Amino acid sequence: MTIKLRKQTIEILKMIKNKQSNVIATDLGKEMNIDYIVLMSAVNELIDYNLGGFEEEEIYQISLNAEGITYLKNGLPERQLLNLLLKNEIKEIAIEELLNRSKLDQSIFYIGISNLKKNRWIAQSKTAGENKIYLVVDKFPQTKLEKFLAEFKDNRALDHSTLSNDALKLFDKLNKRKLINKTRKTQRIIYLTDKGKKISISEIEELKQVSKITPEMLSSGSWRNYDLKPFDVTKPGPLLKAGKMHPLVSLINEIREIFLSMGFIEIRGPIIESAFYNFDALFQPQDHPAREMQDTFYLNNPKTAKLPDKDRVLAVQETHENGGESGSLGWGYKWDVNKAKKTVLRTHTTATTMRRLAQFYKNNDKVPVKVFCIDRVFRNESVDKSHLAEFTQIEGIVIDDNVTLCDLIGLLSEFYRKMGFKKIITRPGFFPYTEPSMEVSVYYDKLGEWLEMGGSGIFRPEVTYPWGIKEPTRVLAWGQGLERIAMLYYGREDIRDFYINPLKWLRQQSYLK
Ligand code: PHE
């Protein structure tokens, strides 16, 4: 079969053959002055005849930031200071005076001084309240760092992976001085197959093929002489960077749909919450470790929150002190209203659930009540690949008569089944506000493992009685973090990705859900 290629493709093939190595698509495009898309469509032609192909590679591009660019133009601060000294034939000067003359920002001035010292161009003496510098040599050749800086001229960007060891050290210096911009890029490397390497250009026939018909071709009728290239929709086209929904938002919407399909109604609550709703109403004693500063963010402004009606506050107080009407003995300590008034960043959406119970009392609502909350919570955690200090929780509750643990397990099975997990297992757990409490794990087919999802349980009488929710009315509840599921769902290994937003990954997300 004779190989027929377009003229430009033959030229590109010739060029790559001459280079005798793989080429970076953007470099080749620049060198041959060919538009990237046109170049890639030529590469597709090479692919069609198994003459070549391309691979994608992630690179790390470095260039100067705005400050770096001004130094490239005017010299690094140390060079600027030196030039000032040389121009005015100054061999020694008080630091203060040089600072005034230099018109440099104080912090930049001192960076300059420190580097003049590191270059061993000046010495400094501090005697009798005098802080002076002296020039100690008379030649000031371009430093390695300055040479490296010059490589960025004309807005050049360098590929980090191609830097030599020496250059890497210099790069680190510029980077530490915060003069560098770093960007991740995907680049395409074009290569020739063995066939492409062996074939001689004379074996290739030039094809008069066009991919589009121009108005001129139509009016002159010359379009009849061309072979119109069919579109191949399977070939990679230009990357379209249109806006789309963030993966986390799209997952939240799916989970919201699941709750809605199960007859639940969404509730929202404040992010700035009172310790009362976040802890006290949930029967968490005031000396509970989870309430400590190292776990919870307390706020100075606003410092205190409004509490509900006095009689409800009293009901919660009595529950803590002696069990109140709940039939419990309580915790047996003196409850402090000031601790309950403190403001916190909500540590769990159960605080919002609590507000719904308070509303239930106020409105004298009828059962059943089925609500859910998907919202942001905050914990004083150090952030790493599996922990965030600010994340999202999903929580559902059912208030109804005579509901039992079996109903809860039924709800959980249904909920997680709709999320795509066919099997769940529950084990005894502990939460200060539920009794009994269950940990929920789901079976994850892909890994063949059981994964812990979250907590659940029936709210204790100590939690529900102050709000008039009494036997046989009970509250079933379950809750868990969202980002862990999101990691499974999107196959991310680092939980921070949902907030750092790696562009390459976001761009790979589909438009339609
Ligand atoms: N609030 C619990 C958490 O933050 C989850 C939970 C919700 C447990 C409801 C029981 C009932 O982990």
Side-chain angles (χ1 to χ4, degrees), residues 59-66 148 152 156-161 163 168 171-186 500 503:
I59 59 157
Y60 192 37
Q61 267 197 343
I62 54 176
S63 56
L64 294 181
N65 64 14
F148 184 61
F152 292 94
R156 262 188 66 189
L158 305 181
D159 174 353
H160 185 267
S161 67
L163 296 184
L168 273 177
F171 160 74
D172 278 341
K173 276 190 190 161
L174 291 185
N175 195 28
K176 274 207 194 93
R177 290 177 75 164
K178 297 205 169 57
L179 305 178
I180 293 280
N181 276 333
K182 286 168 274 183
T183 36
R184 271 192 172 286
K185 275 216 161 144
T186 305
I500 291 172
L503 274 182

Side-chain angles (χ1 to χ4, degrees), residues 16 19-25 53 55 189-192 197:
I16 307 175
K19 294 205 183 292
Q20 296 186 329
S21 70
N22 297 348
V23 288
I24 298 168
E55 270 167 12
I189 315 279
I190 304 170
Y191 61 85
L192 294 183
K197 284 177 194 156

